[in-house]
Amino acid sequence: MSAVSETIVREYFELHEFLVRQGRKYIAQTKREDDGRWIAEVTALPGVMAYGVTEAEASSRVKALALRVIADRLDNGEPLPREIAKLFEAA
């Protein structure tokens, strides 16, 4: 399988507001920890979570990590979770 450009994947996700929300279903969730840090998690990709001093920072970091994980899975021929794979289906 050929390498997938992270830029193309990022532009697609931003166009469809994927990691912010998909329709009314939120894909990336954020919450404030007891110590004041923010944590963001992409629930469709187990283990994809990131901390930040602000909610925006945590969200930005988790988006970047999710894109790396998705690109790595595609490059290695690994399946994507259903919620993500359907974004790549032909109409």
Side-chain angles (χ1 to χ4, degrees):
M1 179 174 274
S2 62
V4 176
S5 166
E6 186 173 324
T7 303
I8 292 171
V9 174
R10 182 185 311 273
E11 288 173 357
Y12 183 88
F13 283 167
E14 288 174 356
L15 177 67
H16 295 283
E17 299 179 359
F18 173 68
L19 291 173
V20 177
R21 66 182 179 200
Q22 184 180 32
R24 293 185 180 208
K25 180 179 177 185
Y26 287 87
I27 303 298
Q29 299 177 350
T30 59
K31 74 174 188 173
R32 191 165 204 158
E33 297 284 291
D34 293 336
D35 62 5
R37 297 180 299 167
W38 284 88
I39 185 167
E41 176 182 16
V42 176
T43 56
L45 295 168
V48 176
M49 57 183 71
Y51 282 97
V53 175
T54 64
E55 184 177 19
E57 181 181 41
S59 183
S60 177
R61 286 181 175 180
V62 82
K63 288 176 189 179
L65 178 57
L67 291 170
R68 287 186 202 105
V69 169
I70 291 167
D72 186 61
R73 286 186 178 193
L74 291 172
D75 283 345
N76 292 301
E78 298 174 29
L80 294 175
R82 180 185 219 159
E83 302 95 317
I84 294 170
K86 65 183 173 182
L87 293 173
F88 297 97
E89 292 175 356

XYZ file of all heavy atoms in Angstrom:
719
model
N 0.850 -1.165 0.000
C 0.000 0.000 0.000
C 0.900 1.234 0.000
O 1.904 1.287 0.689
C -0.886 -0.030 1.237
C -1.799 1.169 1.334
S -2.950 1.017 2.698
C -4.224 0.082 1.870
N 0.545 2.225 -0.759
C 1.358 3.434 -0.833
C 1.154 4.275 0.418
O 0.153 4.180 1.105
C 0.986 4.242 -2.074
O -0.362 4.631 -1.989
N 2.149 5.087 0.694
C 2.080 5.964 1.861
C 0.934 6.963 1.705
O 0.653 7.461 0.624
C 3.401 6.696 2.032
N 0.276 7.236 2.799
C -0.832 8.185 2.806
C -0.310 9.510 3.336
O 0.332 9.558 4.369
C -1.979 7.682 3.707
C -3.086 8.709 3.794
C -2.504 6.357 3.193
N -0.564 10.564 2.619
C -0.114 11.886 3.035
C -0.899 12.343 4.255
O -2.126 12.395 4.240
C -0.311 12.880 1.895
O -0.176 14.196 2.372
N -0.187 12.663 5.330
C -0.844 13.155 6.537
C -1.602 14.446 6.244
O -2.655 14.706 6.801
C 0.182 13.385 7.646
C -0.460 13.750 8.958
C 0.520 13.814 10.100
O 1.463 13.017 10.157
O 0.327 14.686 10.969
N -1.081 15.241 5.334
C -1.746 16.499 4.974
C -3.110 16.235 4.359
O -4.090 16.901 4.696
C -0.871 17.306 3.994
O 0.397 17.537 4.596
C -1.518 18.620 3.635
N -3.195 15.249 3.475
C -4.467 14.915 2.837
C -5.466 14.435 3.884
O -6.622 14.852 3.888
C -4.271 13.857 1.733
C -3.489 14.470 0.569
C -5.615 13.311 1.259
C -3.058 13.476 -0.463
N -5.026 13.581 4.788
C -5.913 13.063 5.827
C -6.364 14.207 6.731
O -7.544 14.339 7.054
C -5.222 11.961 6.647
C -6.097 11.528 7.816
C -4.887 10.765 5.766
N -5.446 15.092 7.122
C -5.788 16.223 7.985
C -6.814 17.132 7.302
O -7.799 17.530 7.917
C -4.537 17.030 8.335
C -4.806 18.196 9.279
C -3.555 19.043 9.516
N -2.395 18.264 9.850
C -2.060 17.890 11.078
N -2.818 18.244 12.087
N -0.967 17.184 11.299
N -6.587 17.445 6.017
C -7.521 18.308 5.292
C -8.907 17.666 5.198
O -9.920 18.334 5.332
C -6.990 18.629 3.900
C -5.815 19.581 3.925
C -5.177 19.771 2.562
O -5.602 19.127 1.580
O -4.222 20.565 2.488
N -8.938 16.359 4.969
C -10.214 15.666 4.897
C -10.957 15.771 6.224
O -12.142 16.079 6.275
C -10.003 14.193 4.525
C -11.300 13.439 4.374
C -11.965 13.415 3.161
C -11.868 12.769 5.455
C -13.173 12.738 3.023
C -13.068 12.095 5.320
C -13.711 12.081 4.099
O -14.903 11.421 3.963
N -10.246 15.503 7.319
C -10.868 15.558 8.632
C -11.332 16.968 8.967
O -12.400 17.155 9.525
C -9.907 15.079 9.705
C -9.770 13.586 9.757
C -8.760 13.002 10.481
C -10.649 12.753 9.082
C -8.621 11.630 10.542
C -10.531 11.383 9.130
C -9.508 10.824 9.871
N -10.530 17.967 8.638
C -10.923 19.340 8.922
C -12.136 19.731 8.083
O -13.041 20.400 8.583
C -9.762 20.295 8.672
C -8.682 20.169 9.727
C -7.452 21.002 9.429
O -7.388 21.641 8.361
O -6.546 20.998 10.279
N -12.168 19.300 6.837
C -13.303 19.594 5.970
C -14.589 19.030 6.549
O -15.641 19.657 6.521
C -13.054 19.027 4.567
C -14.181 19.194 3.556
C -14.373 20.684 3.221
C -13.862 18.419 2.287
N -14.503 17.846 7.096
C -15.686 17.180 7.632
C -15.830 17.328 9.141
O -16.677 16.668 9.747
C -15.670 15.697 7.240
C -15.782 15.507 5.763
N -16.970 15.635 5.093
C -14.847 15.252 4.825
C -16.768 15.445 3.798
N -15.490 15.216 3.611
N -15.000 18.165 9.740
C -15.027 18.421 11.182
C -15.022 17.114 11.959
O -15.667 16.974 12.990
C -16.243 19.266 11.560
C -16.270 20.613 10.906
C -17.502 21.423 11.270
O -18.368 20.938 12.024
O -17.587 22.558 10.795
N -14.263 16.137 11.495
C -14.322 14.794 12.064
C -13.894 14.725 13.523
O -14.591 14.186 14.353
C -13.468 13.827 11.246
C -13.362 12.469 11.875
C -14.460 11.645 11.944
C -12.184 12.041 12.422
C -14.387 10.413 12.541
C -12.096 10.806 13.013
C -13.192 9.994 13.072
N -12.743 15.272 13.828
C -12.255 15.091 15.185
C -12.877 16.077 16.168
O -12.650 15.983 17.354
C -10.723 15.173 15.220
C -10.053 13.987 14.529
C -8.558 14.178 14.435
C -10.364 12.691 15.253
N -13.639 16.988 15.685
C -14.368 17.874 16.580
C -15.735 17.258 16.846
O -16.117 17.028 17.977
C -14.501 19.284 15.983
C -15.326 20.165 16.874
C -13.128 19.881 15.748
N -16.435 16.977 15.798
C -17.715 16.299 15.938
C -18.107 15.719 14.589
O -17.672 16.167 13.545
C -18.791 17.233 16.449
C -19.138 18.316 15.476
C -20.186 19.237 16.049
N -20.454 20.275 15.073
C -20.993 21.419 15.355
N -21.311 21.694 16.580
N -21.220 22.293 14.424
N -18.920 14.724 14.632
C -19.435 14.114 13.415
C -20.949 14.083 13.596
O -21.471 13.261 14.335
C -18.876 12.708 13.236
C -19.307 12.067 11.948
C -18.725 10.685 11.821
O -18.523 9.996 12.803
N -18.466 10.262 10.624
N -21.628 15.023 12.931
C -23.049 15.185 13.193
C -23.215 15.623 14.633
O -22.638 16.602 15.045
N -23.915 14.854 15.421
C -24.069 15.166 16.838
C -23.242 14.234 17.703
O -23.284 14.313 18.913
C -25.528 15.082 17.228
C -26.324 16.164 16.576
C -27.723 16.145 17.043
N -28.413 17.224 16.368
C -29.439 17.837 16.860
N -29.912 17.490 18.019
N -30.012 18.801 16.197
N -22.509 13.332 17.097
C -21.711 12.383 17.846
C -20.282 12.900 17.964
O -19.595 13.076 16.971
C -21.710 11.025 17.133
C -20.905 9.979 17.829
C -20.980 8.686 17.066
C -20.118 7.635 17.728
N -20.084 6.422 16.945
N -19.837 13.140 19.157
C -18.481 13.633 19.367
C -17.489 12.481 19.327
O -17.669 11.476 19.990
C -18.381 14.387 20.691
C -19.059 15.719 20.606
C -20.408 15.845 20.872
C -18.368 16.845 20.215
C -21.050 17.057 20.774
C -18.999 18.069 20.104
C -20.332 18.166 20.391
O -20.957 19.369 20.273
N -16.450 12.650 18.528
C -15.437 11.624 18.370
C -14.265 11.877 19.327
O -13.760 10.973 19.935
C -14.936 11.570 16.912
C -16.092 11.322 15.959
C -13.854 10.527 16.732
C -16.828 10.028 16.148
N -13.854 13.128 19.453
C -12.803 13.499 20.397
C -13.474 14.081 21.631
O -14.285 14.989 21.532
C -11.847 14.502 19.786
N -13.154 13.522 22.774
C -13.740 13.999 24.015
C -12.658 14.636 24.866
O -11.532 14.138 24.916
C -14.383 12.844 24.771
C -15.495 12.179 24.003
C -16.057 10.985 24.748
O -15.522 10.531 25.741
N -17.163 10.463 24.246
N -12.996 15.722 25.529
C -12.047 16.372 26.422
C -12.669 16.492 27.808
O -13.888 16.568 27.954
C -11.675 17.785 25.931
O -12.857 18.574 25.835
C -10.972 17.750 24.588
N -11.798 16.489 28.809
C -12.251 16.746 30.169
C -11.080 17.269 30.981
O -9.911 17.026 30.649
C -12.867 15.519 30.817
C -11.890 14.452 31.231
C -12.593 13.354 31.992
C -11.568 12.390 32.574
N -12.191 11.418 33.444
N -11.405 17.989 32.015
C -10.384 18.567 32.883
C -10.097 17.601 34.021
O -11.019 17.110 34.684
C -10.849 19.909 33.431
C -9.725 20.644 34.100
C -10.087 22.076 34.313
N -8.843 22.811 34.397
C -8.728 24.072 34.165
N -9.772 24.763 33.791
N -7.574 24.674 34.290
N -8.814 17.327 34.239
C -8.380 16.444 35.312
C -8.381 17.199 36.637
O -8.409 18.431 36.673
C -6.969 15.922 35.018
C -6.875 15.079 33.754
C -7.424 13.678 33.948
O -6.802 12.896 34.683
O -8.468 13.377 33.349
N -8.301 16.470 37.731
C -8.281 17.074 39.062
C -7.090 18.005 39.266
O -7.168 18.966 40.024
C -8.269 15.999 40.150
C -9.568 15.204 40.183
O -10.604 15.733 39.716
O -9.550 14.066 40.676
N -5.983 17.710 38.583
C -4.775 18.537 38.734
C -4.797 19.769 37.825
O -3.839 20.531 37.779
C -3.512 17.721 38.487
C -3.422 17.153 37.077
O -4.288 17.458 36.230
O -2.463 16.394 36.818
N -5.885 19.977 37.079
C -6.026 21.165 36.245
C -5.668 20.962 34.786
O -6.002 21.782 33.938
N -4.960 19.872 34.476
C -4.625 19.598 33.074
C -5.863 19.122 32.341
O -6.803 18.608 32.929
C -3.554 18.510 32.961
C -2.232 18.844 33.550
C -1.253 17.697 33.384
N -1.764 16.501 34.078
C -1.277 15.275 33.923
N -0.256 15.072 33.106
N -1.770 14.264 34.567
N -5.827 19.301 31.020
C -6.891 18.798 30.165
C -6.432 17.517 29.497
O -5.260 17.384 29.130
C -7.250 19.825 29.094
C -8.061 20.949 29.631
C -7.582 22.107 30.185
C -9.474 21.029 29.693
N -8.627 22.901 30.582
C -9.804 22.262 30.290
C -10.501 20.179 29.303
C -11.107 22.668 30.501
C -11.806 20.581 29.504
C -12.096 21.802 30.105
N -7.330 16.579 29.324
C -7.037 15.358 28.584
C -8.056 15.239 27.454
O -9.238 15.537 27.639
C -7.048 14.091 29.474
C -6.608 12.873 28.658
C -8.393 13.890 30.122
C -6.279 11.655 29.489
N -7.572 14.866 26.302
C -8.439 14.646 25.142
C -8.235 13.216 24.667
O -7.110 12.704 24.703
C -8.101 15.633 24.033
N -9.311 12.591 24.230
C -9.255 11.195 23.802
C -10.102 11.003 22.558
O -11.193 11.551 22.452
C -9.781 10.310 24.925
C -9.863 8.854 24.576
C -10.430 8.025 25.720
O -11.025 8.579 26.655
O -10.288 6.796 25.638
N -9.573 10.236 21.620
C -10.341 9.837 20.440
C -10.858 8.438 20.747
O -10.109 7.464 20.703
C -9.489 9.859 19.157
C -10.293 9.354 17.970
C -8.976 11.260 18.888
N -12.119 8.363 21.087
C -12.687 7.108 21.570
C -12.677 5.992 20.526
O -12.642 4.821 20.877
C -14.122 7.331 22.082
O -14.894 7.905 21.037
C -14.124 8.251 23.290
N -12.684 6.352 19.265
C -12.681 5.345 18.198
C -11.314 4.699 18.016
O -11.206 3.668 17.352
C -13.127 5.968 16.887
N -10.270 5.297 18.582
C -8.911 4.771 18.475
C -8.382 4.510 19.884
O -7.847 5.415 20.536
C -7.991 5.755 17.749
C -8.315 6.019 16.288
C -7.525 7.216 15.770
C -7.997 4.782 15.455
N -8.528 3.292 20.386
C -8.102 2.989 21.755
C -6.653 3.412 22.014
O -5.764 3.175 21.195
C -8.248 1.468 21.842
C -9.296 1.143 20.832
C -9.070 2.123 19.702
N -6.467 4.080 23.125
C -5.129 4.514 23.517
C -4.712 5.860 22.967
O -3.658 6.373 23.325
N -5.521 6.447 22.085
C -5.177 7.754 21.514
C -5.717 8.833 22.431
O -6.897 9.156 22.412
C -5.699 7.914 20.070
C -5.429 9.305 19.541
C -5.046 6.875 19.168
N -4.822 9.342 23.283
C -5.172 10.413 24.206
C -3.954 11.284 24.425
O -2.827 10.848 24.233
C -5.709 9.850 25.517
C -4.791 8.907 26.225
S -5.524 8.220 27.726
C -6.761 7.141 27.055
N -4.225 12.535 24.779
C -3.144 13.490 24.978
C -3.544 14.514 26.021
O -4.721 14.847 26.153
C -2.806 14.186 23.666
N -2.542 14.998 26.754
C -2.751 16.041 27.756
C -2.345 17.387 27.206
O -1.524 17.482 26.303
C -1.900 15.755 28.997
C -2.467 14.689 29.894
C -2.008 13.376 29.804
C -3.440 14.992 30.827
C -2.514 12.392 30.636
C -3.958 14.008 31.664
C -3.485 12.716 31.563
O -3.999 11.747 32.386
N -2.892 18.428 27.810
C -2.513 19.793 27.485
C -2.821 20.705 28.652
O -3.638 20.380 29.516
N -2.164 21.852 28.668
C -2.413 22.840 29.711
C -3.804 23.444 29.528
O -4.494 23.755 30.488
C -1.324 23.938 29.696
C -1.630 25.042 30.689
C 0.046 23.321 29.978
N -4.210 23.584 28.263
C -5.538 24.105 27.944
C -6.313 23.039 27.177
O -5.729 22.086 26.646
C -5.452 25.367 27.075
O -4.867 25.008 25.812
C -4.622 26.460 27.740
N -7.618 23.225 27.093
C -8.442 22.295 26.322
C -8.037 22.307 24.852
O -7.950 21.254 24.214
C -9.917 22.665 26.474
C -10.854 21.690 25.791
C -12.319 22.020 26.015
O -12.641 23.171 26.377
O -13.146 21.120 25.822
N -7.749 23.488 24.327
C -7.343 23.604 22.923
C -6.034 22.878 22.661
O -5.877 22.224 21.627
C -7.219 25.077 22.536
N -5.101 22.976 23.586
C -3.822 22.296 23.409
C -4.000 20.780 23.429
O -3.444 20.063 22.592
C -2.841 22.721 24.500
C -1.475 22.066 24.377
C -0.529 22.487 25.487
O -0.960 22.587 26.655
O 0.655 22.702 25.177
N -4.780 20.278 24.382
C -5.033 18.833 24.447
C -5.732 18.349 23.184
O -5.384 17.309 22.625
C -5.865 18.498 25.682
N -6.701 19.116 22.717
C -7.435 18.761 21.502
C -6.519 18.740 20.290
O -6.568 17.815 19.469
C -8.579 19.749 21.292
O -9.332 19.397 20.178
N -5.675 19.732 20.177
C -4.734 19.795 19.051
C -3.763 18.617 19.078
O -3.482 17.995 18.053
C -3.960 21.117 19.111
O -3.007 21.177 18.090
N -3.266 18.305 20.249
C -2.317 17.186 20.379
C -2.968 15.847 20.049
O -2.370 14.999 19.400
C -1.744 17.155 21.786
C -0.745 18.237 22.048
C -0.192 18.147 23.440
N 0.863 19.133 23.645
C 1.522 19.284 24.759
N 1.246 18.502 25.801
N 2.456 20.199 24.861
N -4.215 15.642 20.504
C -4.861 14.361 20.243
C -5.210 14.220 18.768
O -5.154 13.127 18.207
C -6.080 14.130 21.166
C -7.335 14.812 20.658
C -6.325 12.644 21.353
N -5.548 15.322 18.115
C -5.817 15.274 16.672
C -4.566 14.852 15.907
O -4.636 13.995 15.026
C -6.294 16.630 16.166
C -7.684 16.999 16.593
C -8.012 18.405 16.128
C -9.298 18.905 16.715
N -9.599 20.285 16.283
N -3.431 15.447 16.257
C -2.175 15.107 15.586
C -1.828 13.634 15.815
O -1.417 12.929 14.884
C -1.050 16.013 16.075
N -2.008 13.158 17.041
C -1.722 11.761 17.348
C -2.669 10.828 16.591
O -2.242 9.816 16.028
C -1.833 11.522 18.853
C -1.595 10.092 19.320
C -0.216 9.590 18.881
C -1.754 10.006 20.837
N -3.944 11.171 16.537
C -4.915 10.340 15.815
C -4.555 10.237 14.337
O -4.637 9.160 13.745
C -6.324 10.907 15.980
N -4.137 11.340 13.750
C -3.745 11.316 12.338
C -2.543 10.413 12.114
O -2.481 9.674 11.125
C -3.441 12.732 11.848
C -4.661 13.646 11.753
C -4.228 15.081 11.494
C -5.593 13.166 10.662
N -1.588 10.457 13.032
C -0.409 9.574 12.913
C -0.819 8.108 13.021
O -0.327 7.264 12.267
C 0.613 9.925 13.985
C 1.326 11.221 13.721
C 2.450 11.457 14.742
N 2.745 12.866 14.789
C 2.391 13.692 15.758
N 1.744 13.237 16.812
N 2.688 14.964 15.708
N -1.694 7.805 13.957
C -2.143 6.421 14.148
C -2.904 5.936 12.919
O -2.680 4.826 12.433
C -3.002 6.296 15.429
C -3.702 4.946 15.497
C -2.135 6.513 16.659
N -3.794 6.761 12.387
C -4.557 6.387 11.195
C -3.634 6.171 10.004
O -3.744 5.169 9.294
C -5.627 7.453 10.880
C -6.710 7.429 11.954
C -6.235 7.234 9.492
C -7.631 8.622 11.930
N -2.710 7.085 9.786
C -1.766 6.946 8.670
C -0.919 5.688 8.831
O -0.698 4.957 7.859
C -0.876 8.191 8.567
N -0.480 5.404 10.042
C 0.323 4.209 10.297
C -0.476 2.938 10.014
O 0.021 2.009 9.379
C 0.824 4.218 11.742
C 1.769 3.084 12.026
O 2.838 3.031 11.368
O 1.455 2.234 12.897
N -1.721 2.919 10.450
C -2.565 1.743 10.182
C -2.790 1.555 8.683
O -2.731 0.434 8.185
C -3.904 1.867 10.896
C -3.809 1.646 12.380
C -5.171 1.630 13.013
N -5.079 1.375 14.436
C -6.109 1.057 15.194
N -7.306 0.954 14.668
N -5.949 0.847 16.472
N -3.056 2.635 7.980
C -3.254 2.533 6.528
C -1.975 2.076 5.828
O -2.019 1.221 4.944
C -3.719 3.875 5.958
C -5.126 4.306 6.343
C -5.391 5.732 5.885
C -6.166 3.353 5.771
N -0.845 2.639 6.226
C 0.438 2.258 5.623
C 0.754 0.783 5.835
O 1.385 0.152 4.995
C 1.587 3.094 6.194
C 1.649 4.490 5.618
O 1.003 4.746 4.579
O 2.345 5.336 6.203
N 0.319 0.231 6.973
C 0.631 -1.157 7.305
C -0.500 -2.126 6.985
O -0.441 -3.294 7.357
C 1.019 -1.258 8.786
C 2.340 -0.573 9.056
O 3.353 -0.936 8.465
N 2.327 0.425 9.916
N -1.524 -1.630 6.304
C -2.620 -2.505 5.894
C -3.494 -2.981 7.046
O -4.186 -3.982 6.921
N -3.454 -2.282 8.159
C -4.272 -2.658 9.312
C -5.665 -2.042 9.179
O -5.810 -0.961 8.623
C -3.617 -2.171 10.604
C -2.258 -2.796 10.857
C -1.565 -2.199 12.073
O -2.257 -1.743 12.996
O -0.336 -2.178 12.067
N -6.664 -2.726 9.691
C -8.021 -2.182 9.584
C -8.210 -0.959 10.470
O -7.567 -0.828 11.517
C -8.899 -3.337 10.054
C -8.017 -4.134 10.966
C -6.630 -4.010 10.390
N -9.094 -0.084 10.031
C -9.455 1.085 10.831
C -10.749 0.777 11.578
O -11.572 -0.004 11.094
C -9.685 2.295 9.929
C -8.471 2.835 9.190
C -8.890 3.950 8.236
C -7.424 3.331 10.162
N -10.949 1.396 12.722
C -12.229 1.227 13.409
C -13.373 1.676 12.501
O -13.208 2.555 11.656
C -12.110 2.159 14.620
C -10.645 2.278 14.854
C -10.025 2.225 13.485
N -14.518 1.073 12.680
C -15.674 1.317 11.808
C -16.023 2.799 11.679
O -16.313 3.291 10.590
C -16.866 0.554 12.379
C -18.101 0.700 11.600
C -19.225 0.006 12.346
N -20.076 -0.669 11.396
C -20.866 -1.635 11.702
N -20.902 -2.087 12.934
N -21.635 -2.179 10.802
N -15.992 3.560 12.799
C -16.359 4.970 12.781
C -15.440 5.780 11.867
O -15.842 6.775 11.285
C -16.291 5.601 14.180
C -17.153 4.939 15.198
C -16.404 3.892 16.013
O -15.634 3.111 15.439
O -16.605 3.838 17.223
N -14.196 5.345 11.770
C -13.211 6.066 10.952
C -13.201 5.530 9.531
O -13.136 6.288 8.577
C -11.826 5.976 11.596
C -11.852 6.736 12.929
C -10.745 6.535 10.676
C -10.652 6.556 13.777
N -13.295 4.232 9.375
C -13.241 3.618 8.055
C -14.351 4.128 7.152
O -14.146 4.323 5.949
C -13.322 2.099 8.175
N -15.536 4.392 7.721
C -16.639 4.848 6.866
C -16.394 6.233 6.295
O -17.004 6.605 5.299
C -17.975 4.762 7.596
C -18.143 5.653 8.763
C -19.503 5.384 9.397
C -19.668 6.139 10.685
N -20.942 5.846 11.311
N -15.473 6.985 6.871
C -15.116 8.290 6.304
C -14.394 8.144 4.972
O -14.384 9.066 4.172
C -14.239 9.085 7.271
C -14.903 9.531 8.550
C -13.879 10.139 9.482
C -16.019 10.501 8.251
N -13.787 6.989 4.759
C -13.019 6.761 3.546
C -13.773 5.985 2.482
O -13.244 5.674 1.435
C -11.708 6.037 3.879
C -10.804 6.844 4.776
C -10.791 6.644 6.133
C -9.980 7.810 4.230
C -9.957 7.398 6.954
C -9.153 8.568 5.030
C -9.141 8.367 6.403
N -15.025 5.625 2.765
C -15.824 4.875 1.803
C -16.225 5.769 0.642
O -16.516 6.946 0.824
C -17.082 4.321 2.478
C -16.801 3.260 3.494
C -18.051 2.812 4.227
O -19.133 3.366 4.000
O -17.921 1.888 5.053
N -16.274 5.179 -0.531
C -16.722 5.920 -1.708
C -18.228 6.138 -1.616
O -18.969 5.280 -1.132
C -16.385 5.150 -2.982
N -18.647 7.274 -2.089
C -20.077 7.584 -2.016
C -20.843 6.839 -3.082
O -20.367 6.407 -4.057
C -20.291 9.084 -2.209
